[in-house]
Structures are given as structure tokens and as C-alpha cells.
Amino acid sequence: MAKTADYDLGEFTFPRGWFMVARTDEVSKKPLNLRYFGQDMVLYRGDSGRLVLMDAYCPHMGTHLGKNETSYVVMDNEHIDGDNIRCPYHGWQFGPDGNCVEIPYSPAPIPASACIRTYPVQEWGGSVLMWYDAEQGEPNFDPPELPQWEDPSWVQWKIEDLGELGQHPMEVIDNMADKAHLAPIHGSTNMEYFENEFNDHVIVQRLAAGHRTMSETQMINDTWYTGPGILLSRIEGDYPSLMMISNTPIEDGLIRVFYGILVKGKNDIANEEDKAVADQFHEVSKAAFLQDFEVWFNKRPCLNVLQVIGDGPFGKTRIWYKQFYNPRDKAKDYQAQVNGVVVTRGTNRDNFEKSAAE
């Protein structure tokens, strides 16, 4: 399993950005125990409805804040008090900012070091997103806009946890540039065009192609990553859809993958027939994505792409990706190297003969 250093991505082990960590319906006053970015964490919803995500261990004696069922702190329903959380071992209480606000048995001043790292979180499309930054800075870009989520004509996605993938996320991001895998893996046919656009913290893939089983006519597909962790893919057709894939680092070289698809129904308010179609889209689209999974499960790390004419811009994609593994004041340097549109040859619109003539 290759590590971040093996890919020569930058100074940090984990990338900066927004990442999915849970579904909103999983979060309650009972702390949800998570592990991401090499850290154990707890996620809970306070009495005000506020979401709180913090590292899991009490600084007093290292007790896990969430893994306890037998402490009287838990059994007396005092584990979450307002938006605060109590340690089940000695009752130390921490606010949603991670600072200790009470040591119930001691009159001594609260030590300045009695604090726990917290993370910015927000609800997005039925999920909880966290902001991770090794420099612990505030978010410097927003998650992608998602107006379809509030539109009653769209069937909301059912987020599915696809489990752990023992590959570095670099291997997943490579797909954005990988024109050549679309025919043998996904069944694309008669590709009209394939291009990428790099725009600061966003990378876009645009293509039009037929499909061996789904469509003989051209299907238009626009796909983009907002930062390193959240992909959206817009597909036009009789039922327009918007697919979501999120990859979140657990350890260096190990990620968790979430998947969902929004589908626009035929009615102003999606009915049961529209929902049935959306369920079919979910399974068909997931099956297509799992074709990539089978490859990722069974490949060795690709530290250097043996690139040939007809491949997409893997090099630029990896340069774009580096901005998230380095101090944010260096991001503009990487963006300047790649920003713009890159067309990949070997399609109807942009064939090899045209390339040779130019």
C-alpha cells in the first residue's frame, strides 16, 4: 500500500478539503465513533441541533469520549449536556469548541491544555461534511452547491457506504484524466470528445459518448471534483441525474468511499414511479462505479504513469492534486501550472490525424 510520500505529493500526509464522514441520519446525542485522517473522532448532535466533531480522547487521562455504555455519566443521560460532551471516566466537560468548561470535582483553574481539537462541519445533501486541514486553518473554499437537494422534483439520493478501499486517493483522482479506460471498463462507444478543465481547487471532466448497453446516442457527462474529496457527475437524458462520490482518508493509503445519485423525476413533485426509476439508476450507476473498484482492489500503486499518446493529462491532474498536500500559501503556484482546458485526442472531434496536422 503506497503512502503519500511515495507519490511525492507534498508536505502533509493528508489532503486539505471537505470530506464526507457520515449520513445525517446517523448522528444523534449518542456520540458516533469515527476514524479518519489517522485520528479517532466523535461526532454528535447537541441539544441545539448543532453538529460537533472532535478528536476522541480526553486530555486528562486519555479516555475515549464515545466508547462507553456503563459509566453513570452515560446511563444518567449526562453524556451530552446542551452542546457539550462529558468524559465518561471523570466527568470533565468540553464545549463544542473543544475547550474544557468544567472539572466537576476540582476547584483548581482549568488548565489551558485541557482542550481537544475540533473540526468545522456542515450538513450537505443528507450527509455530514468535515473540513480537514493539517495547518488547522478555516475553510478557504465551499462544498459544491446542491440546489437539486431542495427541489421536490428531484428524488433525493440514498447515500451508500461502499466501505474501505486500500488505495491512495491519488489512484481515484487519476480517473478524472483517464479517457482510455472508459471503453474497456465502462463500455463507452463512439466518443465525441473528452476534455479536462483545471480551475483552481476544481477539476472538471467533460465527455460525450455512446454506451454499449445504455444508449446508442451520445450521452453528455460533466464531472467535477470540488477539492480532493467530493465528486459530482451530471448526466443528461430522459431522467437527468447527478451522481456523488466521496472519498475520505482513514489512514495514509486507506480510504472510505460514499456513493449516491439524485434523479429528476417527470413530475413537479417526485412520485413513487419517479422513486422507482431513481432506485434503478442507483443500482446501475453503482454497478458502473464498482467496475472501477474491482481494478483498484487488484492493482499495485502507480507511482509514475507510463503515459502514451491517447492517455489523458495524468501529469497535470497530479500537479493539481498537490495543492491540497502543501501549505495553502503554495496553492496558487500549483494552480498556475495547470489552470485551463486540456483536450485529449483520439475522439471524433479531436482525432489523432488532427493532432498530427497541428
Side-chain angles (χ1 to χ4, degrees):
M1 183 185 298
K3 308 296 186 183
T4 292
D6 297 325
Y7 291 91
D8 191 26
L9 289 172
E11 296 185 25
F12 305 138
T13 301
F14 298 110
R16 177 179 57 254
W18 289 103
F19 298 89
M20 186 176 298
V21 295
R23 302 189 314 270
T24 53
D25 61 10
E26 295 179 281
V27 188
S28 66
K29 288 185 65 174
K30 180 179 175 61
L32 183 63
N33 301 311
L34 304 172
R35 185 170 178 84
Y36 292 109
F37 302 98
Q39 298 290 330
D40 293 322
M41 305 174 182
V42 292
L43 172 65
Y44 65 90
R45 190 182 296 277
D47 288 333
S48 72
R50 179 176 180 174
L51 291 170
V52 180
L53 178 66
M54 63 176 62
D55 285 345
Y57 296 105
C58 177
H60 175 218
M61 290 184 68
T63 305
H64 196 293
L65 296 175
K67 293 184 178 180
N68 191 288
E69 300 291 343
T70 58
S71 165
Y72 280 105
V73 168
V74 176
M75 293 193 294
D76 290 344
N77 294 317
E78 295 178 345
H79 202 179
I80 304 299
D81 185 356
D83 289 345
N84 300 343
I85 186 169
R86 282 190 175 89
C87 175
Y89 198 12
H90 297 95
W92 287 35
Q93 188 173 179
F94 298 87
D97 61 358
N99 291 319
C100 182
V101 297
E102 182 191 24
I103 302 174
Y105 57 85
S106 176
I110 296 172
S113 58
C115 58
I116 302 171
R117 181 179 178 180
T118 62
Y119 303 86
V121 289
Q122 65 173 272
E123 297 188 45
W124 180 85
S127 74
V128 178
L129 303 182
M130 71 170 286
W131 172 264
Y132 180 83
D133 181 3
E135 297 176 285
Q136 300 192 36
E138 291 298 310
N140 62 348
F141 60 85
D142 295 323
E145 295 182 356
L146 196 64
Q148 297 90 341
W149 184 257
E150 304 296 337
D151 187 332
S153 67
W154 285 75
V155 181
Q156 295 182 343
W157 53 41
K158 300 173 183 176
I159 296 172
E160 188 168 348
D161 180 349
L162 297 182
E164 297 180 358
L165 177 62
Q167 286 284 353
H168 193 279
M170 180 72 265
E171 305 277 345
V172 177
I173 298 293
D174 279 339
N175 257 23
M176 292 297 289
D178 195 356
K179 164 190 166 288
H181 89 293
L182 293 171
I185 293 294
H186 298 300
S188 294
T189 61
N190 193 30
M191 186 170 293
E192 184 64 23
Y193 60 83
F194 182 98
E195 64 184 28
N196 293 106
E197 180 176 358
F198 301 88
N199 183 12
D200 293 342
H201 63 276
V202 176
I203 180 175
V204 182
Q205 177 197 89
R206 301 188 188 96
L207 68 91
H211 191 273
R212 292 177 59 171
T213 60
M214 294 174 61
S215 177
E216 295 181 1
T217 60
Q218 296 286 335
M219 299 172 61
I220 298 173
N221 189 328
D222 287 353
T223 301
W224 65 101
Y225 264 97
T226 302
I230 301 174
L231 172 147
L232 292 176
S233 182
R234 181 170 49 237
I235 306 169
E236 301 297 333
D238 289 340
Y239 286 87
S241 61
L242 186 70
M243 182 177 65
M244 177 277 298
I245 297 169
S246 178
N247 70 83
T248 305
I250 302 171
E251 310 287 353
D252 193 10
L254 178 68
I255 60 177
R256 182 171 299 282
V257 181
F258 298 93
Y259 157 82
I261 188 165
L262 288 159
V263 178
K264 182 173 175 57
K266 297 291 190 181
N267 302 279
D268 291 339
I269 299 177
N271 60 18
E272 292 303 315
E273 182 178 344
D274 294 325
K275 293 176 182 177
V277 170
D279 288 342
Q280 294 174 4
F281 271 55
H282 178 100
E283 294 303 323
V284 170
S285 183
K286 181 179 72 173
F289 182 41
L290 291 178
Q291 290 174 299
D292 289 315
F293 254 61
E294 185 177 17
V295 172
W296 289 326
F297 273 131
N298 297 290
K299 73 186 299 296
R300 70 181 184 184
C302 178
L303 304 182
N304 294 287
V305 180
L306 182 59
Q307 191 157 352
V308 298
I309 295 173
D311 281 328
F314 291 116
K316 284 184 176 290
T317 299
R318 292 190 170 196
I319 292 171
W320 173 85
Y321 196 49
K322 282 186 176 184
Q323 67 180 290
F324 307 110
Y325 286 85
N326 289 277
R328 63 174 66 194
D329 61 7
K330 295 183 178 179
K332 292 295 182 184
D333 296 337
Y334 293 106
Q335 293 166 3
Q337 295 180 56
V338 299
N339 273 357
V341 176
V342 179
V343 173
T344 298
R345 302 297 184 182
T347 65
N348 294 340
R349 189 190 71 182
D350 306 294
N351 56 49
F352 293 121
E353 289 75 13
K354 180 178 179 181
S355 177
E358 292 175 351

